Amino acid sequence: MTETNVVPDDVAAAAQAPYFSRDGHRFVPHQIARGGWGPSLSGHVVGGLLGWALERAVDDPQLLPARLTVDLPAPVAMEPMEVHTTVHHDRRRLRLVEAILTQRDTPVARGSALFLRRGPQPEGDVWSQHPQMPPLPIEDGAQPTLFMRTYGWGTELQNRDPDWAGSSGPKYTWLHETRSLIDGEPLSPFTRAAMAADITASLANWGTNGLQFINADYTLTLSRLPEGPHIGMASLTHYSHDGVATGSAVLVDRTGPIGSGASVAIAHSGFRPTLGHPTDE
C-alpha cells in the first residue's frame, strides 16, 4: 500500500472498493484492509467482519446487539479467511453468539455478541455523563484518514479544528465509513458501530508521543443502534501502568449517546497510519 496523490477518477474508484471480496465461503481482503501496525489487517476490519457474521446469526429484529467483544490475540494476515458462528444460548430475552475467524484452519480472532430483547423503558431518570461533542462535520470533500473519513479534534494526526485541545487533552472524533465491508453490501448500523468501536484504543491511548499502545481486544456496548452514517466518539478514560493500558470512550450518533467502547492494550511502538487515498492493490 502506498501513499500517493491520485486523480479524481482513481479516488472515486478507491472509495468504491470493498475491504473484502467473497470467494465461495472465504473472504479475501483487499490491500485497503491493511492496518497501521504492519502487514496485517486493521482491527476495525476484523471486528467489522466478526460483527457482520454475528448479526447474520440472529433473525429476530427485536433482539438488539447490546454487547460485542472482539479478541485480537494475533495479527490477521492479508490472506483469505473464513468465519464460523455458534449460538451458545437462545432464550426468550437474550441470545449469545460466538464467531471465530480462521486462516488456514487456525483461529486468529474471535468475537462474541449478546443480543437482548427490546421492551418497555422503565420510568425515572438515571445520571450519566454526557460528552460535549464538536458539531457534526459538513461534507467538504476531505480525504479519508485512518481508513475512513475521520474528522478529529485533539490530535495532530486528525486535527481539523485548532481551537480544540492538543494531543494531551480530551479527544473527539466523528467517523464516517466510506466503503463497504464485503462486495459492495451496504453497511448495517451494527456493522458500522462494530468497526467504529475499534478506534476506542487509538482515541483513548493517543498521547504526547502519538500512539504507543496496540489493542489486544475491544468491547462495544449499545443501548440502541446508530442512526445515519456518522458515529462520534469522545474519549472518557485512559489508565496505564507497566506497559498495560485500559481505555474507554462514549459513542454517539447525530441524536445523542448510543453506547460505549472499552479496550485493553499493551505497549507497542511502530504505528504508521495510512493517510489519503492508498491504491487498492
Side-chain angles (χ1 to χ4, degrees):
M1 182 160 25
T2 58
E3 297 178 15
T4 180
N5 294 321
V6 292
V7 298
D9 287 345
D10 292 336
V11 170
Q16 293 174 358
Y19 288 109
F20 295 99
S21 293
R22 278 196 183 90
D23 180 13
H25 295 293
R26 303 189 307 169
F27 298 89
V28 181
H30 291 253
Q31 240 347 75
I32 190 64
R34 176 174 170 169
W37 294 102
S40 57
L41 264 68
S42 167
H44 92 288
V45 175
V46 174
L49 185 59
L50 289 167
W52 172 88
L54 290 162
E55 186 176 31
R56 287 171 65 89
V58 176
D59 57 2
D60 187 341
Q62 290 305 310
L63 288 173
L64 170 76
R67 192 268 299 159
L68 166 70
T69 296
V70 174
D71 292 312
L72 304 166
V76 181
M78 294 290 298
E79 60 184 51
M81 62 201 71
E82 296 183 1
V83 182
H84 306 275
T85 59
T86 303
V87 177
H88 287 292
H89 295 279
D90 188 359
R91 299 168 57 187
R92 186 176 67 86
R93 300 187 66 187
L94 66 83
R95 190 172 301 178
L96 180 63
V97 189
E98 181 184 51
I100 298 177
L101 193 155
T102 62
Q103 291 181 319
R104 303 184 184 183
D105 297 322
T106 300
V108 293
R110 185 185 309 267
S112 67
L114 180 64
F115 292 76
L116 299 180
R117 185 168 299 280
R118 297 175 175 89
Q121 175 70 7
E123 296 182 357
D125 297 323
V126 180
W127 179 89
S128 179
Q129 179 176 325
H130 291 277
Q132 297 297 315
M133 289 292 295
L136 191 70
I138 298 173
E139 295 295 338
D140 58 1
Q143 293 187 352
T145 61
L146 288 180
F147 318 101
M148 58 184 71
R149 191 177 301 278
T150 305
Y151 303 82
W153 289 262
T155 74
E156 293 180 0
L157 175 65
Q158 303 174 40
N159 192 5
R160 297 175 60 79
D161 187 343
D163 294 333
W164 284 81
S167 59
S168 62
K171 312 295 188 303
Y172 310 85
T173 190
W174 283 103
L175 306 172
H176 178 195
E177 182 55 69
T178 56
R179 68 184 67 244
S180 68
L181 183 68
I182 304 165
D183 281 341
E185 289 184 15
L187 290 176
S188 73
F190 178 59
T191 301
R192 189 178 294 278
M195 298 176 75
D198 174 68
I199 308 300
T200 299
S202 300
L203 200 66
N205 297 326
W206 196 285
T208 54
N209 290 328
L211 186 57
Q212 298 292 318
F213 295 90
I214 184 170
N215 58 329
D217 77 358
Y218 70 87
T219 293
L220 164 70
T221 63
L222 291 173
S223 62
R224 64 175 175 85
L225 293 172
E227 299 178 8
H230 292 92
I231 294 180
M233 298 182 68
S235 61
L236 291 177
T237 62
H238 166 88
Y239 307 114
S240 58
H241 300 88
D242 300 324
V244 175
T246 67
S248 64
V250 62
L251 276 72
V252 307
D253 64 7
R254 59 188 179 184
T255 64
I258 61 173
S260 61
S263 174
V264 174
I266 191 168
H268 191 74
S269 61
F271 180 68
R272 298 292 182 269
T274 299
L275 303 177
H277 291 275
T279 56
D280 187 48
E281 295 290 354

